[in-house]
Amino acid sequence: MAESVVLDPVDLHLLRLLQNDARMTYRDLAAQVGVAPSTCLDRVTRLRRAGVILGHQLRLDPAKLGRGLQALLSVQVRPHRRELVGPFVERIRALPESLTVFHLTGPDDYLVHVAVRDMTDLQRLVLDEFTAHREVARVETRLIFQKWDCGPLLPPSPTAQSG
């Protein structure tokens, strides 16, 4: 399990600003936080090296790319052994339809969030990429009607709590 990193109020303020707009310049960040741009750059660099900041990602709308149907696939792998699990996960991660893969406890071993064109494409994906493999014992499909993003990850700033 990863160790947590001790963050001071300046680090937290930087992270709050960056998670809402990762393209902010160091000059703008520094002005909003009240530190010198060089200090801001040093702190963000340290947060990256410590693994707190994992990167910057471009988010795409699957529907605008012709993948308007999303689903969650609960997958049971049998036997659930390391020599089967690793290749299974890598194969699923490599599928262009896969958005996220979770390894779970409980009756299902994996939850896979996928985006496909339509029901026919979903059926093809389940039959050809999941159940066609011997180690996949069961797949249960749940369609996603609507999705909301949550966050932010960080706690509210102290000034927001007092208001």
Side-chain angles (χ1 to χ4, degrees), residues 20-162:
N20 291 319
D21 183 2
R23 296 185 304 169
M24 286 184 78
T25 66
Y26 288 115
R27 179 177 298 177
D28 291 341
L29 274 171
Q32 288 195 40
V33 175
V35 298
S38 60
T39 300
C40 182
L41 174 62
D42 290 344
R43 284 182 174 255
V44 171
T45 300
R46 181 179 53 79
L47 291 167
R48 280 194 183 107
R49 284 191 183 130
V52 174
I53 297 174
L54 299 176
H56 307 281
Q57 294 180 335
L58 180 67
R59 293 177 50 210
L60 303 174
D61 182 345
K64 301 244 194 260
L65 297 173
R67 295 186 185 175
L69 181 64
Q70 292 187 42
L72 296 173
L73 307 178
S74 300
V75 183
Q76 196 175 69
V77 174
R78 293 292 175 258
H80 194 196
R81 293 194 320 248
R82 189 172 299 279
E83 63 269 14
L84 293 176
V85 165
F88 169 79
V89 169
E90 291 311 309
R91 187 175 67 250
I92 299 310
R93 288 184 67 211
L95 294 173
E97 297 89 352
S98 295
L99 300 176
T100 310
V101 180
F102 299 95
H103 192 190
L104 308 171
T105 63
D108 296 315
D109 300 311
Y110 296 94
L111 184 64
V112 185
H113 180 192
V114 299
V116 294
R117 286 187 309 272
D118 52 27
M119 290 297 285
T120 302
D121 197 27
L122 180 60
Q123 181 182 27
R124 177 208 50 82
L125 180 70
V126 170
L127 294 176
D128 296 346
E129 302 296 344
F130 285 84
T131 60
H133 296 275
R134 255 203 255 135
E135 71 272 15
V136 176
R138 184 178 63 80
V139 176
E140 190 173 304
T141 304
R142 291 177 178 85
L143 298 180
I144 298 173
F145 291 138
Q146 195 166 359
K147 175 183 163 245
W148 293 270
D149 290 326
C150 300
L153 176 62
L154 295 172
S157 65
T159 55
Q161 290 176 344
S162 62

Side-chain angles (χ1 to χ4, degrees), residues 7-24:
L7 304 171
D8 67 17
V10 173
D11 293 331
L12 291 171
H13 196 175
L14 286 168
L15 292 171
R16 276 188 198 91
L17 292 168
L18 285 171
Q19 79 177 3
N20 291 319
D21 183 2
R23 296 185 304 169
M24 286 184 78

